[in-house]
Amino acid sequence: EQLVESGGGLVQPGGSLRLSCEASGITVDYYSITWFRQAPGKEREGVSYIGSHGQTYYADSVKGRYTISRDSAENTVYLQMTSLKPEDTGVYYCAADAFFTGFAYNWWHADEYNSWGQGTQVTVSS
């Protein structure tokens, strides 16, 4: 099982980025997949979740600005980020698990995810 994130970079406030989480050895359609991020000196936090039935959840801080989606043909999960703010800066990771189903009260529990990518850096700065 391997997850590879890409699409990070430096962007000005108000800009957009699309992150990709390309999977191999698993089929994203059948997994719970979450994007996490970690800013320097801060704890890792859940950003957005997509479940095997297509249900999605978002952290309050990104609702209305981020959209998570899944492309079965590409076996990839995307995170479209718009109206970016400096506080969105951090390393973004995708994580997956076949046996965990996230709900509104627990999708961000990092310990539930078995597979992790290496992360991609997002920096929002003028």
Side-chain angles (χ1 to χ4, degrees), residues 12-30:
Q12 292 187 341
S16 300
L17 283 174
R18 189 180 76 159
L19 305 184
S20 300
C21 173
E22 184 175 0
S24 57
I26 69 169
T27 301
V28 297
D29 288 356
Y30 304 140

Side-chain angles (χ1 to χ4, degrees), residues 14-112:
S16 300
L17 283 174
R18 189 180 76 159
L19 305 184
S20 300
C21 173
E22 184 175 0
S24 57
I26 69 169
T27 301
V28 297
D29 288 356
Y30 304 140
Y31 278 63
S32 289
I33 297 181
T34 289
W35 284 95
F36 291 85
R37 69 184 178 192
Q38 187 164 22
K42 294 188 176 181
E43 293 186 357
R44 182 173 48 192
E45 62 173 339
V47 174
S48 184
Y49 166 97
I50 186 164
S52 58
H53 298 290
Q55 68 274 34
T56 60
Y57 299 108
Y58 297 90
D60 288 344
S61 59
V62 307
K63 280 181 183 176
R65 301 189 297 120
Y66 287 17
T67 304
I68 193 169
S69 62
R70 183 172 61 202
D71 186 320
S72 301
E74 298 294 328
N75 206 33
T76 297
V77 172
Y78 299 100
L79 186 68
Q80 179 68 50
M81 307 185 296
T82 63
S83 301
L84 284 162
K85 305 174 181 180
E87 52 264 42
D88 294 319
T89 295
V91 179
Y92 283 67
Y93 302 89
C94 62
D97 197 88
F99 302 105
F100 171 66
T101 298
F103 295 93
Y105 58 85
N106 71 350
W107 61 269
W108 61 84
H109 290 184
D111 291 346
E112 299 286 356

